[in-house]
Amino acid sequence: MSSAWALADRVILGLSAHGQGFYNLERCGEAVINLPSSDMHAAVESIAATTGRNPVPSSKVTMGYQFVANKFAMASWSQSPSELVQPSRILECPLQLEAKVLAIHACTTDAAGLADECRIVEMQVLKVHAHENMVLSNTNHIDTSCWSPLLYVFRHYFGHAQKLGSNFRAEV
Ligand SMILES: Cc1cc2nc3c(=O)[nH]c(=O)nc-3n(C[C@H](O)[C@H](O)[C@H](O)COP(=O)(O)O)c2cc1C
């Protein structure tokens, strides 16, 4: 996902109303938000033109999307059970957030023919899993020198941002 931001234990997601991802989220009320690292860009792109929706929505057929039931297998990712929610985690992702749905907001917009196409979903993070080498020892802080998040910028993948400085409130 590219449309996501976090504040305290809340994560806000922007989702197409017609993807299998939103259908699953609404049905189950739970999710795992897996944060990939920049070296995972090729695997992410390998499932980009797929949907778990069957039949494939006509708008996606014209764009060349294909139905894939198991995107874990297609991307060669390891599916690991979560502790507090039903959906699985992607083990290869350095950060995995188990979360539950708190609210779903229908985003009605006339822009670009997107009327009733989008949902804004408020999630509460219940548990955070982090790869051990990313955590500063004896703390619950992420070692930002080890964290290279995958960034999706106008449909292009970026990573390895250069550190420029720290905020006055940064603890470590
Ligand atoms: C890197 C990347 C980021 C994406 N971010 C979003 C997003 O934030 N929200 C969204 O609705 N779709 C996003 N998409 C598009 C969905 O992945 C695409 O619609 C996909 O078919 C959804 O699959 P599903 O139908 O199985 O949920 C993104 C695609 C890529 C490749």
Side-chain angles (χ1 to χ4, degrees), residues 60-139:
K60 282 190 170 161
V61 171
T62 49
M63 287 189 278
Y65 277 79
Q66 291 189 329
F67 165 68
V68 171
N70 188 341
K71 299 189 195 182
F72 283 91
M74 187 163 181
S76 299
W77 284 330
S78 316
Q79 189 168 353
S80 173
S82 297
E83 292 179 24
L84 301 177
V85 300
Q86 299 166 62
S88 306
R89 301 181 280 135
I90 299 173
L91 267 192
E92 287 78 3
C93 286
L95 288 171
Q96 307 139 16
L97 318 180
E98 296 187 25
K100 70 172 183 183
V101 173
L102 290 185
I104 298 177
H105 176 73
C107 177
T108 50
T109 170
D110 290 335
L114 289 176
D116 200 35
E117 291 288 320
C118 306
R119 297 289 181 271
I120 297 167
V121 183
E122 181 185 358
M123 309 283 303
Q124 181 177 22
V125 176
L126 306 174
K127 190 173 185 76
V128 176
H129 302 265
H131 285 188
E132 216 167 311
N133 62 350
M134 289 234 323
V135 180
L136 289 164
S137 45
N138 303 319
T139 75

Side-chain angles (χ1 to χ4, degrees), residues 7 24 35 83 86 106 149 158 161:
L7 182 68
N24 290 346
L35 278 71
E83 292 179 24
Q86 299 166 62
F158 287 83

Side-chain angles (χ1 to χ4, degrees), residues 1-3 14-16 19-21 48 50-52 60 65 71 152 157:
M1 292 208 53
S2 50
S3 305
L15 275 171
S16 157
Q20 188 66 24
T50 69
T51 173
K60 282 190 170 161
Y65 277 79
K71 299 189 195 182
Y152 190 53
Y157 298 101

